[in-house]
Amino acid sequence: MTAATPARPVATSASAAQAYIPAFDGLRGLLALGVVLSHFTLMTVNPFDDPTRPLAVWEHLCWYLGAPAVDAFFVLSGWVVAGSYLRHRSVWTFYLARLRRLYPLALLGALLGLLVARPLMSLIPAPATGHGLLAYLRLPLSGPDVWGSLSMGLLGEYRAARISPPLWSLAVEVYASLLTPLLVLGARRWGWAALWVSLPVCLALSSVFTAFVYLPLFLLGTLLVLAPLPGMTPRTRQAARGMALFGGALLFSRHLTGVNHDLMRWGAAVGAALLLLGLRGLDPAWLRSRAAQWLGQRSYALYATHFPVLMVGFAFLSPVLGPAWSAAAMVPAALLVADLAQRGADWLSGA
């Protein structure tokens, strides 16, 4: 196919929101794997806690994969969940479907954090966990912490870093799901003006509740399909490829800037949006491959469960392989646990 070949036509807003895009499943799997890779280094390194400690090249490359991967997840969730909402007859059936989708695996992740990750800390020397995410697992738990973790932040404060650090974003997904009807209403009624209004409002509200700073990313994903602007659909594969490459570079710009401030996520979200639009036009075969699809179908389970599994390697293999690589050696086990967890969640939901 030549560069001048037209990209695949894109449906209008409502039908586009509900359309299934297999390449996005493959992308979701790669993003989840990026988060796993970032946690090799986060076991013992956090540049913002210990800025004097220089990062090796591989640590720098891995460390800065996590945040942009989560940013892309949020924008993609805004896109996909808006379609899910439009397919349901009522807001209550939508909420029930989201609960079945999110809660079983999030609960499993919290239980693994409480019953595996925290107990394993007794086997790890304190000096080895001074500047990474593991340091938070040594902090005491309160009753609200436990209830917050078991309810994904709905019945108590969810200080996820004390249980299983990656789970903070799953709680954000819950809050965004609860607000999806408002996001869809805003996108349909006010279009892109809703995004500009949301930025100062969410910034102000984030001083009270941090999760608000991430809501514009979900709204952006919703707007991409419910209120598309002229030029958002590339006319040729060459244009789609350029859009995807530029969006990917903007999304992963932290590798050059070394900045990880929450407001950086708003700029990264623009990159995620361009990447999604470009990939929708390209529909690359490698994202529709069996391996990518397998990983994508287990991406949520992998995200929810991988950290305690990596900790098993850290606790028992670190004297032989070193801190980071002992966690890396557990990636096959993390994939196996994710597969079993996804099968269990599918069984519970009757899928």
Side-chain angles (χ1 to χ4, degrees):
M1 190 175 289
T2 64
T5 302
R8 181 172 299 182
V10 178
T12 57
S13 59
S15 59
Q18 300 179 63
Y20 172 60
I21 303 173
F24 284 0
D25 275 347
L27 175 65
R28 188 182 290 111
L30 294 181
L31 293 174
L33 193 58
V35 171
V36 174
L37 290 175
S38 74
H39 287 152
F40 293 174
T41 54
L42 284 173
M43 287 284 177
T44 56
V45 177
N46 187 333
F48 301 104
D49 284 348
D50 186 18
T52 62
R53 197 277 209 190
L55 297 179
V57 172
W58 73 268
E59 288 177 328
H60 182 93
L61 292 174
C62 289
W63 199 93
Y64 287 104
L65 284 175
V70 172
D71 298 341
F73 267 121
F74 287 166
V75 177
L76 182 54
S77 285
W79 180 315
V80 173
V81 175
S84 174
Y85 174 69
L86 293 175
R87 288 193 297 272
H88 285 87
R89 295 182 179 180
S90 72
V91 66
W92 303 114
T93 60
F94 165 72
Y95 283 153
L96 182 59
R98 291 302 290 163
L99 181 67
R100 286 198 301 261
R101 162 69 175 160
L102 294 174
Y103 187 68
L105 291 172
L107 176 61
L108 176 61
L111 290 175
L112 288 175
L114 290 168
L115 303 177
V116 176
R118 285 188 64 89
L120 281 176
M121 291 302 295
S122 63
L123 303 178
I124 301 173
T129 63
H131 299 291
L133 290 182
L134 295 187
Y136 296 104
L137 293 174
R138 293 191 182 276
L139 297 176
L141 281 181
S142 66
D145 287 331
V146 176
W147 282 113
S149 68
L150 298 180
S151 67
M152 295 183 68
L154 296 178
L155 298 179
E157 184 178 2
Y158 195 2
R159 293 185 288 189
R162 301 184 180 212
I163 295 162
S164 182
L167 297 184
W168 70 270
S169 65
L170 301 188
V172 174
E173 290 270 0
V174 170
Y175 308 142
S177 293
L178 291 174
L179 294 176
T180 290
L182 293 179
L183 299 182
V184 170
L185 176 64
R188 283 179 152 177
R189 180 165 296 183
W190 298 292
W192 288 82
L195 180 63
W196 309 126
V197 171
S198 76
L199 296 179
V201 171
C202 288
L203 182 60
L205 291 174
S206 68
S207 62
V208 178
F209 188 45
T210 306
F212 276 107
V213 80
Y214 307 110
L215 288 181
L217 280 70
F218 294 89
L219 178 57
L220 175 58
T222 302
L223 286 164
L224 291 177
V225 288
L226 294 184
L229 295 173
M232 276 189 175
T233 302
R235 296 182 178 275
T236 66
R237 288 188 65 82
Q238 183 176 8
R241 188 176 296 111
M243 183 179 286
L245 289 174
F246 180 74
L250 184 58
L251 175 63
F252 291 97
S253 60
R254 289 176 183 81
H255 285 85
L256 295 178
T257 64
V259 176
N260 205 40
H261 191 277
D262 278 339
L263 292 184
M264 177 76 175
R265 295 178 181 274
W266 290 359
V270 176
L274 293 173
L275 177 63
L276 293 177
L277 292 169
L279 290 177
R280 181 181 62 173
L282 290 171
D283 193 24
W286 58 275
L287 284 179
R288 291 184 283 106
S289 67
R290 180 176 298 181
Q293 292 292 300
W294 184 92
L295 189 61
Q297 291 160 9
R298 291 152 183 80
S299 58
Y300 179 42
L302 179 63
Y303 192 94
T305 63
H306 75 275
F307 195 82
V309 178
L310 298 187
M311 277 197 64
V312 173
F314 187 98
F316 293 103
L317 300 178
S318 187
V320 178
L321 299 178
W325 296 111
S326 62
M330 295 300 292
V331 171
L335 293 173
L336 175 61
V337 170
D339 181 63
L340 295 174
Q342 188 61 60
R343 289 174 186 270
D346 291 343
W347 178 77
L348 286 173
S349 65

